[in-house]
Amino acid sequence: KYSPDGSKLAFIVDGRALHVLDISDSNEESVLDKIEDALTSDDDETANLGVELISAETVSESDRMEFSWSPDSSQLAVHLSPSPYVEQIHVVQADGSESSINVSQSGFYNGMPQWSADGRILFWETSKYGTKSADGEDTGYTLNGIFVNNRAKKDFRDNIEPPEENESAPSYAFNANNIEYREAFHLPFSTTVIGAHLMGDHLLVIDMYSDPSGEYSTRGFSYNIRTNESSLLFSGLPEA
């Protein structure tokens, strides 16, 4: 995935390692050629795969990693499994300058990390507040969000509008200070999330739900994280 500012490219190597390559001085064709050459090279010393942010040794399962760029292109949120049956969300600096931060901090399933459009909130899918079957298996999930730092929390609570494109923006870089006191929201019901996007106060969700007959359908709804009100956008579409 390209960073929002177009200067970097993040990609997964061998299903388990996350790398970022600086492409600020390259065109798209040359970047893709470099990556192809590196991935097919037999010489590890000459292969240029950029900066390794998450090493394969810290990930237990292949092809489970998901990631998303922060809006300012400085950080990535990563879903990884450091050991069997453990699913975590980490935040890592795009330049690899610091160790990753475990932001989910729970033994529940955590996946699908996303940033709000203004960069103030990081949210993800979790089984922490979801429904379970009689034998303890997860049957539904919710979305949980935290403010990236105390400045982001204050600006949201004070209803400060994000700066215009030509204005200087405050720092919404994620940090590990007092994470447990920075909860922004959690979706108050359990569902099967297909996709979600947070813009301002409005969390847009597409999910699957079952009717009384047990048939599954696809719907979309909006949830206001400030007022806790929801509104249906569409429903009854075929199962995705």
Side-chain angles (χ1 to χ4, degrees):
K1 295 179 182 179
Y2 291 100
S3 60
D5 65 5
S7 68
K8 308 176 200 59
L9 180 67
F11 53 97
I12 297 171
V13 177
D14 295 331
R16 296 170 63 192
L18 179 63
H19 289 242
V20 165
L21 186 65
D22 187 334
I23 58 172
S24 55
D25 296 327
S26 306
N27 59 51
E28 183 174 6
E29 185 175 347
S30 67
V31 169
L32 296 178
D33 288 341
K34 287 178 182 177
I35 294 175
E36 182 179 2
D37 291 343
L39 292 175
T40 56
S41 173
D42 294 327
D43 188 348
D44 291 339
E45 293 184 2
T46 62
N48 178 18
L49 292 177
V51 179
E52 184 179 67
L53 304 185
I54 303 291
S55 67
E57 290 74 20
T58 62
V59 178
S60 69
E61 296 183 57
S62 297
D63 303 319
R64 293 291 303 267
M65 188 180 290
E66 304 168 286
F67 63 89
S68 65
W69 282 98
S70 63
D72 67 357
S73 302
S74 68
Q75 299 175 312
L76 295 97
V78 188
H79 162 226
L80 56 85
S81 178
S83 59
Y85 309 109
V86 176
E87 310 280 347
Q88 297 176 346
I89 304 298
H90 286 231
V91 169
V92 62
Q93 300 293 327
D95 61 5
S97 59
E98 299 177 19
S99 300
S100 67
I101 304 169
N102 176 8
V103 303
S104 49
Q105 297 186 341
S106 77
F108 298 92
Y109 166 82
N110 301 280
M112 292 176 58
Q114 299 287 333
W115 307 79
S116 63
D118 58 16
R120 293 174 179 173
I121 294 174
L122 173 65
F123 67 99
W124 61 90
E125 182 184 49
T126 180
S127 63
K128 183 176 181 178
Y129 305 105
T131 56
K132 297 187 181 299
S133 65
D135 58 2
E137 292 294 321
D138 296 325
T139 58
Y141 303 87
T142 60
L143 294 171
N144 186 67
I146 60 175
F147 294 106
V148 297
N149 57 33
N150 289 325
R151 173 64 184 273
K153 179 179 179 179
K154 183 179 186 303
D155 286 354
F156 177 84
R157 296 286 170 82
D158 293 344
N159 210 10
I160 303 296
E161 290 292 327
E164 298 294 332
E165 188 172 338
N166 59 347
E167 296 177 341
S168 61
S171 174
Y172 290 143
F174 193 97
N175 65 48
N177 299 330
N178 302 316
I179 291 178
E180 63 273 22
Y181 300 112
R182 300 204 318 248
E183 182 173 273
F185 74 90
H186 75 263
L187 201 63
F189 51 85
S190 191
T191 184
T192 301
V193 179
I194 299 174
H197 181 72
L198 179 58
M199 181 172 290
D201 295 350
H202 300 284
L203 177 67
L204 306 177
V205 181
I206 298 176
D207 71 349
M208 286 195 304
Y209 70 98
S210 61
D211 59 25
S213 68
E215 293 292 325
Y216 279 90
S217 300
T218 302
R219 69 180 174 185
F221 63 90
S222 173
Y223 175 73
N224 190 307
I225 65 172
R226 193 181 298 272
T227 65
N228 300 321
E229 297 173 321
S230 60
S231 58
L232 185 66
L233 302 176
F234 62 84
S235 65
L237 296 184
E239 180 179 351

